[in-house]
C-alpha cells in the first residue's frame, strides 16, 4: 500500500495547490467521461467540471487536508480510490468549513486522470 | 444516475441497519479480497473486517446518514462508488460524531459486495 499512499499524497498535493492558485489548471486532470458530484449535483466532463470549479464565488481559497486514505480500486488495473477529509478556508474566514472529497484515479501513461470526483461540505 | 442512487440508498439502508443491530451480519457483504481502511488502519478480508467491526467498544450505535452520493465506478462493469457523510450516535451520547465513509460496490449475481471501504471520523 506504500506506493498507493505516495501516489495519493502526490496527487492531492498537486490538486489542492492548483485549486487554490489556478483553478483553470485542473482541467488537464479530467477527461470527457469524468464525473463530478458537487454538493449532490452531477456534472459530466472536464470542461463542465472546471467551469463549475472556476465559477465558485470566492476569490481566495485554501484546502487543508486533515486525513488522506487510499486503496487500489481494481484487481486488474492500477487505479485507486482516494478519500480526503479536511478544512476549506474561504476568503480568509476564521471559520473554516469541513469537507470530504473522493477521487478515483485511473492510470494514463505515466500519470493519472480523475474518473470519479465526489465533493461534500460537512456541516456540524 | 437514478438506478445508481437507488442502489446506493438500498445498500446503505441495509448496511447501517445491520451495523446498528447485528454487526456480525455484515460479513456476507465482504469477500476475502475486500479492503477496509478504518481510521487510517488497513484491514484485508471479510473475516478480519467483521472482527474489527464487532470489536468496536460500544454496545449501542446508530448511524444517521446526512448525505449520500453515488457514481458508476467503471466503464465496463456496473460497479459503483458510494460516498456517505453522517452522524454516529454512540451509547446514546448527546454529542454525535461526524463520519465519512466510502464504499465501492461490485456486482455479484443479482447483488453487490463491498470491494473498498474507507471509514473516517471527522473531528471539527
Amino acid at each position: 500500500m506504500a506506493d498507493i499512499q505516495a501516489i495519493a499524497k502526490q496527487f492531492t498535493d498537486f490538486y489542492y495547490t492548483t485549486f487554490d492558485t489556478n483553478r483553470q489548471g485542473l482541467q488537464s486532470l479530467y477527461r470527457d467521461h469524468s464525473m463530478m458530484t458537487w454538493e449532490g449535483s452531477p456534472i459530466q466532463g472536464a470542461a463542465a467540471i472546471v467551469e463549475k470549479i472556476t465559477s465558485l464565488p470566492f476569490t481566495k481559497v485554501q484546502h487543508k487536508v486533515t486525513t488522506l486514505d487510499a486503496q487500489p480500486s481494481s484487481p486488474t488495473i492500477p487505479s485507486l480510490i482516494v478519500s480526503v477529509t479536511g478544512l476549506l478556508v474561504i476568503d480568509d474566514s476564521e471559520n473554516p468549513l469541513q469537507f470530504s472529497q473522493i477521487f478515483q484515479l485511473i492510470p494514463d501513461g505515466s500519470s493519472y486522470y480523475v474518473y470519479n470526483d465526489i465533493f461534500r461540505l460537512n456541516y456540524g
Side-chain angles (χ1 to χ4, degrees), chain A residues 17 22 27 43 46 52 67-69 71 96 100 110 121-122 124:
Chain A
T17 299
N22 169 31
Q27 187 152 345
I43 305 165
K52 174 66 187 178
T67 68
L68 175 62
D69 296 304
Q71 292 179 354
S100 61
S110 61
L121 292 172
N122 308 135

Side-chain angles (χ1 to χ4, degrees), chain A residues 13-81:
Chain A
D13 282 353
F14 179 76
Y15 187 91
Y16 292 121
T17 299
T18 306
F19 196 117
D20 296 350
T21 57
N22 169 31
R23 283 179 251 171
Q24 191 66 49
L26 295 172
Q27 187 152 345
S28 63
L29 297 177
Y30 296 93
R31 297 289 178 273
D32 286 348
H33 59 287
S34 298
M35 289 164 270
M36 169 180 264
T37 305
W38 181 273
E39 288 286 272
S41 299
I43 305 165
Q44 174 96 32
I49 289 169
V50 172
E51 185 182 335
K52 174 66 187 178
I53 290 173
T54 53
S55 72
L56 294 171
F58 40 70
T59 53
K60 190 173 173 187
V61 62
Q62 189 185 4
H63 290 78
K64 297 183 177 181
V65 172
T66 308
T67 68
L68 175 62
D69 296 304
Q71 292 179 354
S73 63
S74 163
T76 53
I77 63 165
S79 56
L80 59 155
I81 289 178

Side-chain angles (χ1 to χ4, degrees), chain A residues 105-124:
Chain A
L105 305 183
I106 307 289
D108 183 21
S110 61
S111 186
Y112 292 84
Y113 70 90
V114 178
Y115 184 63
N116 300 99
D117 180 350
I118 299 175
F119 178 90
R120 278 283 183 180
L121 292 172
N122 308 135
Y123 298 100

